[in-house]
Amino acid sequence: MENFEIKSFRLSNKNNISIEFLNLGGIITLIKTPDKNNQFSDIVLGFEDFEKYHNNSAYFGAIIGRYANRIESGKFKIDGNEYHLKTNNGLNHLHGGHKGFDKVFWQISPVKGKNAYLLYYMSPDGEEGYPGNLEVKVTYELTDDNNFKILFEAVSDKKTIINLSQHSYFNLSGNFSNTVLDHLLKINSKFYLPVDKNQIPTGVIENIKNTPFDFEKFKFIGLDIEEDNLQLKIGKGYDHCYVIKNDERKLVKAASLYHPPSSRLLEVYTDQPGIQFYSGNFLDNSLPSKTGGNYRKWSGLCLETQHFPNSPNNDKFPLTILRPGEKFYSETWYKFSVIEDIIDD
Ligand code: BGC
């Protein structure tokens, strides 16, 4: 057991939107936003009892690292040296291993002049098998225009790999006994990465046209999720990385999620090459919901901005190498609003 105490922190803005998070895993435990009647509800899955986050098998709300998503057999090479990571997902390494960034304690300090907190963690050389002492900073900022900005920064003293993400599960209805099948989703992408039976990308970059993966225009998540499709069977729903076109690594809108009954809209911006759309397929009635009952399949969904899964073993995918002297820098924005109706732009 860590000799640390779980502490909770809070950000709020002039519109009364509030976000709460823990020093454990940087876990976001609550995001309260208004609906069309100005009723505020919590729109992220999590636990009422913070102690439950120690065994947070679903990664609710957490910072994910050092490498978000899967690395095949937990192995990769840098300059001919093979590294062996902890495997925690069948044969694969997932979300940083047994004790990833979601399970460590972060040092938290307020950021001067901003409505923000800085989260700091020093990951020692060899942790979970990764090379290099890695210093990581994550900033959580909530602006008055209802933008939750997440800034990831990292430096290493050895050549290493990195892929940082945020694993909040959204349910814009604010009622966790509902599923997200009635949410409309739009992903700014024409391509996704099909996976093998162990959920490792095959390397094919597939066009979404005429497949259930087409979210180029707003589409109900429930519309095709149960189609007879091999990829949907493997993931038990959507659990795939979409290719985001931002070659210059500029911040672009990657996805929009809309819940018609409440009129809540969530827009996700990223400078990363991918976004994993995970429709909460492995929630299996075993984890207690904040509002009573248990979370079930499709109770919430993640839109995880990131590099492609298993990139260290695929030289066609954008590089995830971080060298000493370089700085990893990435931004993700979650923007909250209420709109009467969605317009496909
Ligand atoms: C992955 C899923 C995994 C889940 C664990 C997601 O990011 O894509 O495959 O089961 O995290 O919560």
Side-chain angles (χ1 to χ4, degrees), residues 57-59 70 94-95 167 169 199 239 276 278 282 304:
S57 57
Y59 301 87
R70 292 177 173 80
L94 174 70
H95 293 336
H167 210 278
Y169 286 66
Q199 291 191 270
D239 192 2
Q276 180 88 3
Y278 170 54
F282 300 113
E304 306 158 46

Side-chain angles (χ1 to χ4, degrees), residues 68-84:
N69 220 311
R70 292 177 173 80
I71 294 181
E72 188 169 21
S73 309
K75 287 185 203 160
F76 66 97
K77 279 188 185 159
I78 298 179
D79 298 336
N81 297 320
E82 187 166 87
Y83 293 93
H84 293 249

